[in-house]
Amino acid sequence: MSNTIVLLLSIGPLAMVLAMIAAHGLGESKDAYTGEVTGRGVSSSTGTYGPTGHYMMHIRTDEGRELSIEVNGRTYRSLAVGDRVVKEWGRRWPERSE
C-alpha cells in the first residue's frame, strides 16, 4: 500500500506539469488572424537558472483587436514593426504575410 502512495505522489506532479504544458500549447494554436506588427520588445528576468529573455510582439488584427503575444527568438528576429502577419489555426507563431 505504501509503495502505491509513493508512486502516485511521484507521478502526480509530473502529470500535472505535462498537462499544463499541453494546455498552453493548444490554446495558442487555436487562434487565427491577420494583422500588422505595431510594436515589439524584449524583457529579461533573472531566475534560479540565470537570465531569461521574453520576446513580445504587439499586433493589431484586421478586425481591430490589439494583441500582445510572447514569441520565440526566431519569430521575434524575423518580424519588424510595420510587417503584415498571418497566424493560421494550428500554428504556434504568426508569420510574415507574403
Side-chain angles (χ1 to χ4, degrees):
M1 169 109 172
S2 65
N3 289 339
T4 304
I5 292 172
V6 170
L7 181 64
L8 288 174
L9 289 175
S10 62
I11 293 176
L14 176 62
M16 188 182 330
V17 168
L18 291 175
M20 289 171 50
I21 291 170
H24 182 70
L26 289 175
E28 291 177 344
S29 65
K30 289 184 179 181
D31 202 10
Y33 54 82
T34 56
E36 182 178 330
V37 177
T38 58
R40 51 187 237 143
V42 179
S43 65
S44 63
S45 60
T46 303
T48 304
Y49 302 106
T52 303
H54 301 279
Y55 303 97
M56 298 299 297
M57 302 293 292
H58 304 285
I59 298 171
R60 180 180 301 115
T61 68
D62 293 343
E63 293 80 30
R65 289 190 303 162
E66 297 285 338
L67 305 175
S68 293
I69 59 171
E70 186 172 349
V71 298
N72 62 3
R74 181 177 177 197
T75 301
Y76 181 82
R77 288 185 294 276
S78 71
L79 299 173
V81 173
D83 284 348
R84 295 283 304 158
V85 295
V86 60
K87 161 67 172 65
E88 296 175 350
W89 188 92
R91 299 226 178 212
R92 186 159 188 187
W93 312 115
E95 298 174 346
R96 182 177 291 123
S97 178
E98 298 295 325

